[in-house]
Amino acid sequence: MGYSDNMIEMVFKMSATGQRIYYPFGAFGRGRILSSEKEEKKLKKILLWEVIIFSPAVLFILRASSSFLVKFFLISAMLAVAYTISYLPVRGNQISDDRMTFSELWQRSWRDLVYGSGRNFLWFFFVVCVILAFIGVAAVFIGHGDLWPRLALLGGSVLSAASSLALLLKTRQAGR
């Protein structure tokens, strides 16, 4: 299973009664009960195409030489289109009482990162985080300039170090 498959699988959940539930808006909305496996495959195909099309489009918009408001409007419009495309096929489905929480999404994203990526990628990501943390700390103490930019750099270094430790912990828990 690839990384995009893991991203797509995050919005699907099995209820306690064995029904497959799809959350078109993630933790922001209520789930829709899927009627068949065929419907689930159709939704996964739609979501895969959204990832393939909209991910590079966002990067192109961010790299464009236009104002912040134009970029914000274009990305907001793309998100609205993406949510509409993913919601329209299930708008008539029965609404589920099961909710998806942000903590559940967070746990699933870590699980999918750890299990969906290869061992080499995980260790590469860990090493990159550690190197970024060391570079940031070194730049804070060696660099010149005002205090606030250096403190911001130190904060980024701490975040990078925390990310590397969290990734190491999750990797060890997964037995990789």
Side-chain angles (χ1 to χ4, degrees):
M1 197 182 272
Y3 185 70
S4 59
D5 294 331
N6 289 333
M7 284 177 42
I8 291 168
E9 193 63 37
M10 286 176 55
V11 293
F12 291 91
K13 179 178 167 182
M14 188 70 72
S15 72
T17 60
Q19 295 174 317
R20 193 72 168 150
I21 303 171
Y22 167 60
Y23 294 87
F25 304 108
F28 291 112
R30 296 176 52 183
R32 303 291 175 154
I33 298 172
L34 300 178
S35 58
S36 66
E37 193 173 314
K38 182 179 177 185
E39 185 178 23
E40 181 179 351
K41 287 182 181 179
K42 177 184 168 188
L43 283 169
K44 286 182 179 180
K45 191 178 289 188
I46 290 171
L47 292 174
L48 178 64
W49 278 106
E50 282 184 7
V51 169
I52 290 170
I53 293 171
F54 289 125
S55 296
V58 168
L59 293 176
F60 286 127
I61 290 172
L62 290 174
R63 296 211 17 107
S65 59
S66 57
S67 72
F68 171 78
L69 289 176
V70 171
K71 292 177 184 180
F72 181 77
F73 173 75
L74 289 173
I75 291 175
S76 298
M78 276 187 20
L79 282 173
V81 168
Y83 279 129
T84 303
I85 289 171
S86 63
Y87 173 73
L88 285 177
V90 294
R91 68 183 179 278
N93 290 27
Q94 182 181 357
I95 297 173
S96 170
D97 292 333
D98 288 346
R99 300 287 290 203
M100 183 175 285
T101 63
F102 286 106
S103 63
E104 186 178 358
L105 275 176
W106 177 255
Q107 290 171 354
R108 286 174 151 218
S109 67
W110 269 109
R111 181 201 66 208
D112 292 343
L113 175 68
V114 171
Y115 288 114
S117 305
R119 179 185 173 121
N120 294 337
F121 173 78
L122 292 174
W123 283 108
F124 172 76
F125 186 65
F126 171 74
V127 169
V128 166
C129 286
V130 170
I131 290 171
L132 288 176
F134 281 128
I135 290 172
V137 170
V140 167
F141 291 111
I142 296 171
H144 304 286
D146 293 336
L147 177 66
W148 287 111
R150 292 170 64 187
L151 286 178
L153 188 58
L154 182 62
S157 301
V158 168
L159 181 64
S160 182
S163 298
S164 65
L165 291 176
L167 185 64
L168 181 64
L169 175 69
K170 292 295 183 178
T171 304
R172 291 192 60 148
Q173 286 176 353
R176 292 181 152 228

